[in-house]
Amino acid sequence: MNEPISRRKLFIIASAIDVLLSGIVLLIYFGVLPVDISGWGIPRWVVGAVGGIWFLSAFVVLAYQLTRTDGSE
């Protein structure tokens, strides 16, 4: 019937959403998306650093979860 969602699937879904959101932040930082970040009161480099670290960490978690072998299979 309804099979409970595993922790691995939750990690995949959460990290995929994080990759998308952090990608949007990086697109805003690089000026691809027309959002004015100078009015936020945050230095521009901080937005780029946070977006970059967020993207890399989410991508690493997603790549690990997708390439990890499952012992139950």
Side-chain angles (χ1 to χ4, degrees):
M1 292 189 127
N2 288 337
E3 174 179 323
I5 192 162
S6 67
R7 290 181 73 191
R8 181 178 181 186
K9 289 179 185 176
L10 282 176
F11 275 118
I12 291 171
I13 292 168
S15 59
I17 291 171
D18 278 348
V19 166
L20 290 174
L21 292 176
S22 61
I24 291 171
V25 170
L26 286 175
L27 288 175
I28 290 171
Y29 171 72
F30 289 124
V32 176
L33 296 178
V35 177
D36 183 28
I37 60 175
S38 62
W40 293 353
I42 303 171
R44 185 173 176 82
W45 68 269
V46 172
V47 175
V50 169
I53 292 169
W54 186 17
F55 180 82
L56 287 176
S57 63
F59 182 77
V60 166
V61 170
L62 181 62
Y64 172 74
Q65 291 296 330
L66 289 175
T67 59
R68 174 175 85 118
T69 58
D70 194 11
S72 65
E73 291 179 1

